[in-house]
Amino acid sequence: GDGTIVVIGTPAEESGGGQVDLINAGAFDGIDAAMMMHPGGQSPQMPPGSVRVNGKPNALHALTVRYRGKNAHAAGRPWDGLNALDALIHAYNGISLLRQQMRPSARVHGIITEGGQAPNIIPDETAAYFYVREDVVAHLEELKPRVVACFEAAALATGTELELTWQGNPYTDMQNSTPLSETFTKHAVAMGMEPVEPEMAGAGSTDMGNVTYAVPGLHPSYAVESKAGNHNAGFTEAAGSEEGHARMITASKALALTVLDLFAEPELLVEAKREFDERAAAVGG
């Protein structure tokens, strides 16, 4: 059948959610289906040469916090101070205590980006950067106010002022299209790749999840020979090796053939859109 293939970049895909901005700007208007792919490190559940078709990246929203207190000499008159570092440590520990009541799919993790200036001065300003993740958007929205309460409680306990800002675009979970997944798997198997089930929900986050809420989508990943996981020098070397390139080409061919099937078999796109509409109706459009 007739049609057009559109190549859309993925700026700030894992930090900032550039594809969400593209969605909002209309970049996916008139697009029937969207696909992208990731390499990944090997694991016992995902050996080199395997492909994971229905991964479950989780929903995510990032936040920054800043506490403002009052300086004082930490030895001479500490009681005159309002300790912004105490507030941040209080909040950090509060989140750790909250984990007992979190779903197993929840992830809350962060770093202290400003912790004070000198050990003999009660810190009057500190800051942190956190990610809040859950398996689906609805669970994320339930978790967010409980995390915020930990930060607010710390401010109350220490007499400091809290500034909390949600950062960038929130990421949704991913809704891979079943008809597209099945088609890709058929081609991947024919090329000698081994399909594996996701090890667990919550394996990172990507704004491709948001795309799958806008149009029928597919986001498989394939394993290269790296035991170092992703996002480090060892993985860079493995992905850029001759073997890594070969696996990329094989997986890319399977993805390209899936696109061609959308042209050759119009019913495939009809089925993908039907499932997409049913899912949209289930979550209220």
Side-chain angles (χ1 to χ4, degrees), residues 5-54:
I5 296 175
V6 180
V7 179
I8 299 175
T10 57
E13 178 243 338
E14 291 188 356
S15 180
Q19 290 195 91
V20 182
D21 290 330
L22 289 172
I23 292 168
N24 294 336
F28 289 87
D29 293 353
I31 299 294
D32 292 310
M35 304 179 200
M36 69 175 286
M37 188 165 53
H38 256 87
Q42 71 185 76
S43 69
Q45 294 78 20
M46 195 169 178
S50 65
V51 62
R52 184 174 59 211
V53 184
N54 290 309

Side-chain angles (χ1 to χ4, degrees), residues 255-271:
L255 196 69
L257 287 170
T258 304
V259 173
L260 288 174
D261 281 349
L262 288 174
F263 288 87
E265 303 174 20
E267 181 59 28
L268 178 61
L269 184 57
V270 171
E271 293 176 6

